[in-house]
């Protein structure tokens, strides 16, 4: 039985660049949606990768349903600010913010946490609206920034109070902190691959999340795990087949192509072996529930791959 | 492990432009690409190739190397100092240390501090900036500060004339193109109306804290006050007033940095894997470099499956092993139970077919490459990870076939 991720209201998905965060976020959404949940996926980096996973057209700040039960939105701090001001300060903003936005953008760059709070604030707002029945979602999944930046984003609600001592923003952040800290609502999940750097960053992130954040951790999701080809006994046969006299017999029987087939198999075995070492390190240093997603020998990255990853995740989650 | 093809089989070897000719003629090679494609290993291997085959003094500047790679290069936690990779490491890896290889890690904070100390009008101002609580946050984030400081440091090292070749591994950023704009954006930032506009109300009349708003800036301050509080805005403005004193130095410097990147002694190598997302990013990068008149020297396709393993002869053999496993195992079992041998044959055949799907996809993506620089190099996937100089030497043989 896997961790109860689908029972939460907010799943944040982070990890080192290139490990497949968007694929995993999309697949989690698909797992939830096929089980009747209405899901909002937020693309925080707004690179458009999440839309590709559903083969959908480019997305904007306003959520759009791309398939039954799954809506996508791209984070936009300017739009988030406009919405915030409209809802909280009763400052009507018509159209784009123009020079005011550029000035605020500038201040946001300088002021710690302002940009982050606009990002995480929008996410929290959608979650709160959904809990209170005013938004259509049962679950919000965040395709988050990579490991380095996600700590700043999730910690923004806590951190902003330290610098902005009096502004009304401060009073607006306490509920966010509470929501993010509630293990019944939120889970921070880390995607990795069984390689040196991603595993090292995962270990580091889990440690930092525990010391610097008040956000419950969910699961570690190991993506692109190569299959173990042989049992110990079969491996002996494989070794024998790779060498004389069996290899020669095989070549005589099957043709010269047998040599390259054996070379390819040796490459597969060796690749698997080198990755096992990193998996062992991950297991030794991170005590979170771990979900394994196999390396997909798929043709392309689109709905098909998302569906395959979703199946693997569903099996790991036991749903 | 025999899967490594011989260098003689590496395509394109010995004809026309090569990475070797680039490394031999350029003074700066910037390695870029999206996260996880192996940029750092490629940069380090190129440095090794240049130092062992071409000679001269070669420096590799990396940003965030994997621990093992850092250990291999002997640059663990040494900050901004350049350190020589010992000649014995070359010999152990079966290479001839014709030249000297140095490695350095980029420490963003240290580099920024050095910049402030250089450009501030006096020590007092420098210290006021360094002590400001906003400083660290700013240098960590504003106008792609990592990118800027990486390029700035490159410029500084190049100016000393210590090295024949400098290889730079670019920082992992959300947008791999950011560092190209960093010098220009830095200049724009300091020269920008925005900064003047933001600090103006605090500058007039010389009375700190007494703000004079113009018609233009009033709406901004009204909103900003409500969001952040006026005290905080004042802190920011004061900080920037100090920061602005470095304007001239920064602008002149960032122009020089930009010129150096455009100089014909500088070239770019784009690293990617043959996977959809990194490749798309890599191609976009090639386009942008060309559009902006940077010299695109090479495209490096990393972690590809060795194509010669997945040809038609292998495919036929794999199909046969899978579908006629029982019959084959009757003839080939050498004392093992033929049933077990048949099972192993099926697994081997299936594994081949799985990887062949990926190999075909890679071949297709390779054929579809729209933007091909003169040099396109393949570096096949290695069984293990690169953890020492011998590992780098293996990559180097692909980057620079003999």
């Amino acid at each position: 039985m896997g961790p109860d991720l689908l029972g939460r209201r907010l799943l944040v998905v982070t990890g080192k660049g290139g490990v497949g965060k968007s694929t995993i976020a999309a697949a989690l959404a698909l797992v939830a949606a096929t089980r009747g949940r209405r899901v909002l996926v937020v693309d925080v980096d707004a690179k458009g990768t999440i839309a590709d996973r559903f083969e959908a057209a480019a997305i904007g700040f306003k959520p759009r349903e791309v398939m039954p039960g799954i809506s996508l939105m791209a984070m936009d701090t300017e739009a988030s600010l406009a919405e915030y001001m409209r809802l909280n300060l009763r400052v009507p903003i018509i159209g784009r913010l123009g020079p005011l936005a550029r000035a605020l953008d500038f201040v946001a760059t300088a002021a710690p946490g302002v940009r982050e709070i606009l990002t995480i604030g929008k996410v929290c707002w959608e979650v709160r609206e959904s809990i209170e029945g005013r938004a259509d979602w049962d679950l919000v999944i965040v395709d988050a920034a990579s490991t380095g930046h996600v700590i700043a984003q999730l910690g923004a609600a806590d951190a902003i109070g330290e610098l902005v001592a009096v502004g009304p923003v401060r009073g607006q952040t306490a509920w966010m902190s509470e929501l993010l800290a509630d293990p019944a609502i939120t889970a921070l999940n880390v995607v990795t691959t069984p390689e040196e750097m991603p595993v090292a960053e995962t270990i580091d992130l889990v440690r930092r999340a525990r010391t610097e954040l008040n956000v419950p951790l969910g699961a570690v999701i190991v993506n692109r795990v190569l299959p173990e080809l042989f049992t110990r006994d079969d491996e002996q046969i494989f070794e024998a087949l790779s060498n004389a006299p069996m290899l020669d017999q095989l070549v005589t029987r099957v043709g010269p192509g047998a040599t390259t087939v054996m070379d390819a198999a040796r490459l597969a075995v060796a690749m698997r072996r080198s990755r096992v070492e990193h998996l062992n390190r991950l297991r030794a240093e991170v005590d979170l529930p771990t979900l394994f997603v196999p390396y997909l020998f798929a043709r392309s990255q689109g709905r098909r791959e998302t569906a395959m990853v979703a199946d693997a995740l569903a099996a790991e989650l036991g749903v | 492990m025999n899967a490594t093809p011989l260098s003689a089989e590496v395509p394109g070897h010995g004809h026309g432009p090569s990475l070797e000719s680039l490394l031999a003629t350029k003074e700066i090679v910037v390695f870029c690409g999206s996260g996880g494609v192996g940029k750092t290993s490629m940069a380090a291997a190129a440095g090794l190739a240049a130092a062992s085959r071409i000679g001269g003094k070669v420096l590799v500047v990396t940003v965030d190397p994997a621990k093992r790679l850092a250990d291999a290069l002997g640059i663990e936690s040494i900050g901004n100092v350049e350190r020589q990779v010992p000649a014995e490491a070359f010999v152990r890896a079966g290479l001839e240390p014709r030249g000297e290889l140095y490695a350095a890690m980029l420490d963003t904070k240290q580099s920024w501090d050095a910049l402030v100390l250089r450009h501030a009008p006096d020590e007092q101002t420098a210290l006021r900036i360094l002590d400001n609580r906003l400083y660290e946050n700013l240098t960590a984030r504003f106008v792609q500060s990592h990118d800027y400081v990486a390029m700035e440091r490159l410029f500084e090292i190049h100016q000393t004339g210590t090295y024949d070749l400098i290889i730079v591994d670019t920082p992992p950023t959300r947008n791999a193109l950011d560092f190209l704009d960093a010098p220009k954006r830095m200049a724009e930032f300091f020269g920008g109306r925005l900064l003047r506009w933001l600090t103006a109300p605090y500058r007039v009349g010389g009375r700190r804290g007494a703000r004079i708003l113009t018609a233009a800036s009033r709406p901004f301050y009204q909103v900003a006050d409500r969001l952040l509080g006026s005290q905080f805005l004042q802190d920011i403005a004061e900080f920037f007033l100090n920061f602005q004193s470095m304007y001239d130095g920064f602008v002149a410097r960032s122009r020089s940095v930009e010129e150096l990147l455009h100089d014909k002694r500088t070239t770019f190598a784009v690293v990617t894997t043959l996977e959809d997302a990194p490749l798309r990013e890599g191609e976009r990068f090639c386009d942008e470099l060309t559009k902006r008149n940077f010299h695109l020297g090479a495209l490096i396709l990393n972690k590809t499956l060795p194509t010669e393993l997945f040809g038609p002869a292998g495919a036929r053999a794999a199909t046969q092993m899978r579908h006629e496993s029982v019959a084959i195992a009757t003839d080939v079992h050498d004392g093992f139970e033929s049933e077990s041998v048949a099972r192993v044959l099926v697994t081997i055949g299936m594994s081949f077919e799985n990887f062949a799907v990926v190999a075909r996809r890679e071949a297709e993506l390779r054929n579809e490459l729209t933007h091909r620089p003169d040099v396109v190099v393949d570096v096949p996937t290695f069984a293990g990870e690169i953890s020492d100089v011998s590992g780098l030497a293996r990559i180097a043989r692909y980057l620079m076939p003999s």
Side-chain angles (χ1 to χ4, degrees):
Chain A
M1 202 57 199
D4 177 31
L5 293 185
L6 301 187
R8 320 275 176 116
R9 306 300 297 238
L10 171 61
L11 297 177
V12 180
V13 180
T14 182
K16 185 183 187 301
V19 297
K21 271 191 300 289
S22 299
T23 305
I24 297 297
L28 276 171
L30 193 56
V31 172
T34 45
R35 279 149 191 82
R37 311 282 162 81
R38 297 159 305 163
V39 188
L40 172 68
V41 187
V42 183
D43 183 0
V44 158
D45 261 352
K47 271 180 134 181
T49 43
I50 198 77
D52 292 344
R53 296 304 179 276
F54 294 102
E55 294 174 28
I59 47 167
F61 187 69
K62 191 171 154 22
R64 197 182 79 229
E65 192 168 58
V66 293
M67 57 180 285
I70 299 182
S71 298
L72 310 181
M73 65 161 283
M75 186 51 70
D76 175 343
T77 45
E78 186 186 319
S80 172
L81 177 65
E83 186 176 87
Y84 172 83
M85 293 201 292
R86 189 166 50 78
L87 292 167
N88 293 287
L89 303 178
R90 312 261 180 264
V91 178
I93 303 291
I94 297 153
R96 291 175 66 81
L97 289 165
L100 180 65
R102 279 201 296 280
L104 276 167
D105 193 51
F106 180 86
V107 173
T109 318
V114 171
R115 198 184 298 282
E116 284 78 8
I117 205 77
L118 289 171
T119 296
I120 203 66
K122 169 67 177 170
V123 169
C124 288
W125 190 75
E126 290 293 340
V127 173
R128 190 174 65 171
E129 291 292 292
S130 78
I131 291 172
E132 290 173 7
R134 288 192 296 265
D136 286 338
W137 336 114
D138 301 308
L139 175 64
V140 175
I141 296 178
V142 181
D143 180 8
S146 53
T147 40
H149 198 183
V150 78
I151 296 271
Q153 270 172 359
L154 292 174
D158 291 338
I160 200 151
E162 293 169 25
L163 273 136
V164 184
V166 283
V169 162
R170 190 178 186 186
Q172 288 289 332
T173 54
W175 67 271
M176 292 185 204
S177 299
E178 268 169 44
L179 191 148
L180 289 171
D182 188 342
I185 294 177
T186 305
L188 169 61
N189 306 280
V190 194
V191 183
T192 185
T193 54
E195 295 169 285
E196 184 189 3
M197 285 299 269
V199 165
E201 282 198 19
T202 301
I203 293 168
D204 189 50
L205 179 86
V206 168
R207 185 184 50 74
R208 286 187 61 192
R210 286 199 167 121
T211 50
E212 296 171 33
L213 291 179
N214 196 10
V215 177
L217 286 154
V220 170
I221 299 155
V222 188
N223 196 14
R224 298 189 200 131
V225 178
L226 285 168
E228 183 79 88
L229 289 178
F230 306 113
T231 62
R232 201 170 285 256
D233 287 347
D234 284 0
E235 195 157 330
Q236 282 185 357
I237 300 174
F238 171 69
E239 286 300 326
L241 274 168
S242 316
N243 294 294
M246 276 184 100
L247 182 60
D248 303 327
Q249 293 167 11
L250 194 66
V251 169
T252 314
R253 178 71 173 72
V254 180
T259 318
T260 58
V261 174
M262 293 308 294
D263 280 345
R266 287 171 74 97
L267 180 66
V269 168
M271 279 165 72
R272 156 84 197 174
R273 253 182 224 149
S274 77
R275 284 161 172 73
V276 164
E277 186 193 332
H278 303 299
L279 284 179
N280 290 341
R281 176 156 181 243
L282 185 69
R283 259 191 220 109
E285 300 201 32
V286 176
D287 57 353
L288 291 172
T290 306
L291 313 177
F292 296 94
V293 175
Y295 184 94
L296 292 181
F297 299 96
R299 286 160 199 276
S300 64
Q301 295 178 322
R303 282 196 185 216
R304 174 72 187 131
E305 193 194 21
T306 305
M308 287 165 81
V309 174
D311 287 345
L313 276 176
E316 287 286 285
L317 286 166
V319 294
Chain B
M1 190 52 225
N2 293 325
T4 313
L6 301 170
S7 55
E9 290 170 272
V10 175
H13 152 59
H15 308 288
S18 62
L19 199 61
E20 178 160 8
S21 63
L22 285 174
L23 293 172
T25 54
K26 300 291 178 183
E27 290 180 16
I28 292 172
V29 184
V30 182
F31 278 69
C32 39
S34 60
V37 297
K39 248 182 326 205
T40 310
S41 303
M42 292 304 121
L48 189 70
S52 62
R53 297 268 296 277
I54 301 166
K57 281 184 85 168
V58 180
L59 171 69
V60 177
V61 185
T62 107
V63 180
D64 184 21
K67 190 176 176 310
R68 290 188 200 186
L69 185 61
D71 288 350
L73 292 171
I75 54 166
E76 198 193 357
S77 65
I78 53 149
N80 271 340
V81 188
E82 299 136 50
R83 179 166 298 188
Q84 187 173 2
V85 179
E88 304 89 78
F90 281 66
V91 178
R92 271 202 306 278
L95 297 172
E96 193 189 329
R98 193 171 297 173
E100 295 168 19
L101 179 63
Y102 294 77
M105 211 159 95
L106 182 77
D107 184 314
T108 311
K109 175 87 173 71
Q110 270 189 32
S111 305
W112 265 107
D113 292 356
L115 263 182
V116 170
L117 286 166
R118 181 183 315 117
H119 292 307
D122 52 71
E123 207 186 322
Q124 247 187 340
T125 313
L127 291 178
R128 260 209 305 277
I129 292 169
L130 294 177
D131 286 343
N132 192 296
R133 60 184 178 155
L134 292 174
Y135 168 71
E136 200 166 332
N137 181 63
L138 268 165
T139 51
R141 301 192 309 155
F142 90 126
V143 282
Q144 286 92 41
S145 134
H146 293 272
D147 301 323
Y148 178 71
V149 89
M151 294 304 114
E152 150 77 32
R153 181 132 169 80
L154 166 68
F155 175 79
E156 190 185 308
I157 296 170
H158 183 256
Q159 264 208 327
T160 64
T162 314
Y163 301 96
D164 297 291
L165 172 66
I166 305 171
I167 292 172
V168 196
D169 165 31
T170 50
T173 43
R174 207 188 95 182
N175 183 347
L177 295 170
D178 283 348
F179 75 87
L180 292 177
D181 293 329
K184 207 165 93 200
R185 289 186 66 157
M186 182 60 77
E188 279 171 7
F189 174 79
F190 279 102
R193 282 218 316 267
L194 195 55
L195 189 58
R196 257 177 289 150
W197 189 57
L198 186 76
T199 52
Y202 299 92
R203 213 166 23 194
V204 188
R207 257 175 65 219
R208 293 249 152 137
R211 222 164 54 172
I212 297 158
L213 298 177
T214 64
S217 60
R218 187 167 291 114
F220 164 72
Y221 279 98
Q222 277 170 355
V223 174
D225 278 356
R226 294 180 71 177
L227 277 170
L228 303 165
S230 55
Q231 178 61 44
F232 182 60
L233 274 178
Q234 188 183 328
D235 287 355
I236 292 179
E238 276 188 19
F239 174 70
F240 281 120
L241 279 178
N242 283 322
F243 222 77
Q244 251 188 331
S245 64
M246 303 189 294
Y247 174 73
D248 291 338
F250 260 98
V251 170
R253 185 79 163 190
S254 56
R255 277 202 195 111
S256 313
V257 174
E258 206 187 348
E259 274 163 26
L260 180 64
L261 291 179
H262 274 109
D263 196 286
K264 60 176 188 287
R265 292 170 296 178
T266 303
T267 191
F268 290 79
V270 175
V271 184
T272 180
T273 59
L274 282 174
E275 296 166 288
D276 293 339
L279 186 62
R280 208 177 316 136
E281 182 87 354
E283 290 216 84
R284 200 168 63 85
F285 207 94
C286 288
D287 284 343
E288 281 296 320
L289 284 169
T290 314
K291 213 181 285 170
R292 300 178 194 203
N293 294 316
F294 291 101
H295 185 269
L296 172 60
L299 178 64
I300 297 172
L301 306 172
N302 190 22
K303 301 187 200 172
T304 59
L305 285 172
T307 44
E308 66 286 348
L309 283 187
F310 298 96
R316 270 194 305 276
T319 312
Q320 215 181 330
M321 283 159 79
R322 198 179 147 187
H323 294 289
E324 299 164 28
S325 58
V326 176
I328 299 171
T330 318
D331 300 338
V332 184
H333 55 84
D334 200 39
F336 293 103
E337 273 180 47
S338 65
E339 205 176 298
S340 308
V341 175
R343 187 174 58 231
V344 171
L345 287 173
V346 169
T347 306
I348 293 170
M350 281 175 66
S351 169
F352 184 93
E353 285 167 7
N354 279 336
F355 278 96
V357 170
V358 180
R360 275 197 297 275
R361 187 178 73 199
E362 288 187 355
E364 194 180 322
L365 289 172
R366 190 195 312 267
N367 289 337
E368 285 170 3
L369 280 178
T370 49
H371 208 112
R372 284 176 167 271
D374 291 340
V375 181
V376 180
V377 187
D378 255 77
V379 179
T381 195
F382 292 109
E385 263 166 273
I386 303 306
S387 56
D388 54 17
V389 177
S390 305
L392 291 177
R394 285 177 74 185
I395 300 178
R397 280 195 280 276
Y398 287 93
L399 295 180
M400 208 185 273
S402 46

